[in-house]
Amino acid sequence: MTLAAAAEGIAEAIEDFIYPHLCSTCSGSLSRHERYVCSRCWDSFDRVVPTETIIQAIESKFLVDEAVDLVDSVFLFEQDPRVRMAVHLLKYDGAEAIADKFGVYISKKIAGDERLSTCSVIAPVPLHPVRQRERGYNQSDLIARSVGRNLEIDNLPNLLIRTRQTQSQTLFDAEGRSRNIHGAFAIGPEFHKRICGVRVLLIDDVITTGSTIKECASTLRQGGASGVCAASAAITV
Ligand SMILES: [Zn+2]
């Protein structure tokens, strides 16, 4: 060990002693390689498991029109306040570490699914440029990058672009959300050829009514995509 590395190690140990890094959801100590949320919490978050109730709840969001071939998600958003806390950190604290972890869980879940593994490109649900400038990043893109790295699939953050700023979806019921988001997306100008005949995996942070995913999927299909699947970190069921 060099003197500089030893000094850095001592400085980190002193910092940990003065300002212990604590898990945002259980307040337990974080180990050196953990950020924001401890591994015990991550592993105990409420999961999307294929019970009849959950399958029906997900299908009811997407079965009506067939824009999306398949949807999967990892965590239950409403049932577990710790999941909501992690999503909040992701959106408002610039927590790249949270996005990485969400991406790892999504990748593990969909890696064994043949229907999802036929997707050859990943596209995050885009934010409007104004919103992205305010936030400094697109949280869905951070997750999509992690999924792309883990599954070795190209993530194309500009495959879909948002053409107009919409009001927050939280202001509307399911029908209102569809109207609010209708026509809000387009294929990025440099991707018109690339998209033809390609199956796309859409990535979002949280799926609620599914309106945004369906609108993105319709845009991709109209642009020539041969299929669209979607996966998110969390979902309401
Ligand atoms: Zn914890």
Side-chain angles (χ1 to χ4, degrees):
M1 185 185 281
T2 65
L3 198 58
E8 196 177 323
I10 292 167
E12 280 179 12
I14 292 171
E15 191 194 328
D16 282 353
F17 181 73
I18 300 171
Y19 307 107
H21 297 290
L22 300 178
C23 171
S24 301
T25 61
C26 76
S27 303
S29 298
L30 293 176
S31 68
R32 195 163 287 277
H33 62 274
E34 291 170 339
R35 300 279 312 280
Y36 296 98
V37 176
C38 75
S39 304
R40 289 180 306 281
C41 283
W42 276 112
D43 288 338
S44 64
F45 281 177
D46 283 354
R47 301 283 189 102
V48 174
V49 287
T51 63
E52 204 172 321
T53 316
I54 291 181
I55 290 171
Q56 272 179 8
I58 294 176
E59 284 184 347
S60 69
K61 294 181 199 290
F62 296 98
L63 264 189
V64 187
D65 42 16
E66 294 174 338
V68 194
D69 299 325
L70 189 73
V71 177
D72 205 352
S73 186
V74 181
F75 298 112
L76 293 169
F77 186 71
E78 282 171 323
Q79 285 80 349
D80 192 338
R82 300 171 304 166
V83 174
R84 296 200 295 278
M85 164 80 87
V87 170
H88 187 88
L89 284 169
L90 169 72
K91 279 187 174 176
Y92 302 105
D93 277 12
E96 204 158 327
I98 298 275
D100 280 345
K101 203 80 177 171
F102 275 143
V104 168
Y105 277 96
I106 291 173
S107 304
K108 277 186 190 158
K109 185 152 190 209
I110 68 178
D113 192 320
E114 274 180 21
R115 296 163 302 173
L116 281 159
S117 59
T118 57
C119 294
S120 55
V121 296
I122 292 173
V125 169
L127 285 181
H128 189 273
V130 172
R131 175 76 67 83
Q132 186 157 339
R133 263 200 304 280
E134 284 166 4
R135 185 171 289 164
Y137 59 97
N138 171 6
Q139 73 278 3
S140 297
D141 180 38
L142 295 185
I143 298 172
R145 283 185 215 175
S146 171
V147 176
R149 272 196 306 275
N150 285 289
L151 297 181
E152 297 182 339
I153 303 176
D154 283 346
N155 172 42
L156 306 176
N158 300 315
L159 179 58
L160 275 174
I161 52 174
R162 209 177 262 245
T163 51
R164 66 180 169 82
Q165 212 167 358
T166 51
Q167 289 180 273
S168 169
Q169 289 285 70
T170 55
L171 301 170
F172 301 96
D173 61 10
E175 206 178 306
R177 284 177 182 223
S178 294
R179 272 200 307 275
N180 183 45
I181 205 80
H182 186 67
F185 302 102
I187 304 292
E190 68 271 44
F191 291 104
H192 285 290
K193 276 190 186 155
R194 177 86 194 262
I195 188 77
C196 283
V198 163
R199 286 174 57 78
V200 181
L201 175 61
L202 269 171
I203 297 287
D204 204 359
D205 53 350
V206 183
I207 292 173
T208 46
T209 62
S211 311
T212 303
I213 289 288
K214 282 189 280 193
E215 188 64 26
C216 286
S218 299
T219 307
L220 289 167
R221 282 184 187 278
Q222 281 161 20
S226 61
V228 182
C229 294
S232 68
I235 192 165
T236 61
V237 295

